[in-house]
Amino acid sequence: MADDEADEEADEGPVVELGEGASVEGVPLARVTSRLTWGMEHSTVEQRVGDTEIRTPDGPTSLSDVLAEVDEPYFERRQEFEESVREVVGAGPVQTEE
């Protein structure tokens, strides 16, 4: 019986209502980088995921366009790559469609 009560409580956890607002274009950078194995050369990253549109504060941007502005030839860790991308695109709220 105790297990049934615990299952019911888990099902009644906090509910997050999704709004009916505008959608967000592009994919989160973390989703792109989590699918890659690090260390990786700049050119290999561009070849594998360069055509992906990522979310940025200025709207969706092609990762190829961002990588064109990154001078780092090799990314040893995922965090290093993400920091390089954020230096180019900035950080902040992502625009939504209106």
Side-chain angles (χ1 to χ4, degrees):
M1 254 196 189
D3 289 336
D4 291 338
E5 290 174 15
D7 288 340
E8 287 178 23
E9 288 178 19
D11 291 340
E12 294 175 11
V15 176
V16 176
E17 293 288 329
L18 298 178
E20 292 187 25
S23 63
V24 178
E25 294 296 316
V27 297
L29 180 60
R31 182 181 300 165
V32 175
T33 59
S34 69
R35 295 178 178 165
L36 300 172
T37 304
W38 301 95
M40 192 178 301
E41 294 178 345
H42 182 281
S43 59
T44 305
V45 175
E46 187 164 1
Q47 179 184 16
R48 291 188 183 172
V49 294
D51 60 341
T52 304
E53 296 263 319
I54 60 169
R55 295 176 183 171
T56 70
D58 294 329
T61 304
S62 168
L63 196 49
S64 274
D65 294 342
V66 174
L67 289 172
E69 298 182 41
V70 174
D71 294 329
E72 193 68 37
Y74 183 82
F75 305 102
E76 188 171 327
R77 300 178 341 211
R78 179 180 91 180
Q79 293 84 353
E80 184 180 346
F81 173 74
E82 290 178 354
E83 287 172 9
S84 295
V85 170
R86 287 194 181 100
E87 285 178 12
V88 174
V89 300
V94 176
Q95 292 184 355
T96 59
E97 292 181 353
E98 295 184 40

